[in-house]
Amino acid sequence: FSTAVGTIVLREVLLARAGERVDDALVQEIEEFRQLAQIGQNPETAQPFGDDVAAIFEVFLDRNVPAEGEAFYTYVRGEFHDASYAPSIEQRRLAPIDELASISDTHRGEFEQQDETRFRYVAVPVDDASGDPQGVFAVAIDLSDELDEVNEALQIAVGVNIGVLILASMLAWVIAGRVLQPL
């Protein structure tokens, strides 16, 4: 019973930590993008980007390589602009992300594709100087690698727990036999 409860608790802890790592990665990418949009300069003109959302996206995508399992999506005035993908993931547009092309508030969430691939994402609007949304920047992370790591750790933990349980049971059997032998 304690092995089963321990395994369930371990799974939940590992899933929570994996979720925190993914959320941290999403926030980091959004912060890097916001910093470029706010204080960055267009390398072609050496001037601030101003309202040129497409130029901000181009510079960001040129300078930032998505980490393992990440993909960046950019939209200008509700239309797909460009994307950048980690080398390890399939280069594909994601319909739930495309649906966010015209948002005016930050959206975050998780969804599962038909092939059972799960993604967590954050999408932020990019406003012009007057506060009108001009584009959307989205980061999506494929959770497959994180979930695989959790499952691998669980398999190891279950194997160790079963081994300890068998060893403890055999030791208890021997000791109980010795204790009960005089009776």
Side-chain angles (χ1 to χ4, degrees):
F1 177 75
S2 65
T3 300
V5 170
T7 301
I8 292 169
V9 169
L10 177 63
R11 179 182 184 273
E12 293 305 314
V13 168
L14 290 174
L15 285 174
R17 287 194 176 173
E20 288 172 6
R21 281 193 306 272
V22 168
D23 288 342
D24 290 346
L26 290 169
V27 167
Q28 176 202 352
E29 296 300 345
I30 295 298
E31 290 304 317
E32 287 176 12
F33 175 76
R34 283 185 174 152
Q35 185 175 13
L36 175 68
Q38 290 172 355
I39 62 172
Q41 293 182 346
N42 189 330
E44 294 177 7
T45 64
Q47 298 295 318
F49 288 106
D51 293 340
D52 191 357
V53 176
I56 297 170
F57 290 153
E58 292 301 323
V59 170
F60 185 85
L61 295 178
D62 286 344
R63 291 183 179 176
N64 292 280
V65 177
E68 188 71 27
E70 286 183 349
F72 304 142
Y73 298 91
T74 59
Y75 302 87
V76 176
R77 292 177 199 84
E79 298 295 322
F80 178 76
H81 177 69
D82 201 359
S84 181
Y85 306 90
S88 63
I89 68 170
E90 180 183 340
Q91 296 186 10
R92 62 180 171 170
R93 301 260 302 272
L94 301 171
I97 301 295
D98 284 344
E99 291 172 7
L100 303 171
S102 298
I103 61 170
S104 57
D105 293 321
T106 300
H107 285 257
R108 60 177 57 232
E110 196 171 302
F111 62 89
E112 188 170 331
Q113 295 289 93
Q114 289 181 348
D115 64 0
E116 297 184 5
T117 305
R118 289 177 57 194
F119 289 90
R120 189 171 288 183
Y121 68 88
V122 173
V124 294
V126 182
D127 300 335
D128 62 13
S130 64
D132 294 327
Q134 296 297 309
V136 172
F137 174 73
V139 182
I141 297 181
D142 180 351
L143 298 176
S144 300
D145 290 339
E146 293 291 334
L147 296 175
D148 288 346
E149 286 181 26
V150 167
N151 290 334
E152 185 178 316
L154 279 175
Q155 288 175 349
I156 291 169
V158 167
V160 168
N161 286 339
I162 289 173
V164 167
L165 184 63
I166 291 171
L167 184 63
S169 296
M170 289 179 9
L171 187 59
W173 181 271
V174 170
I175 291 173
R178 287 187 178 175
V179 169
L180 295 175
Q181 187 176 11
L183 296 177

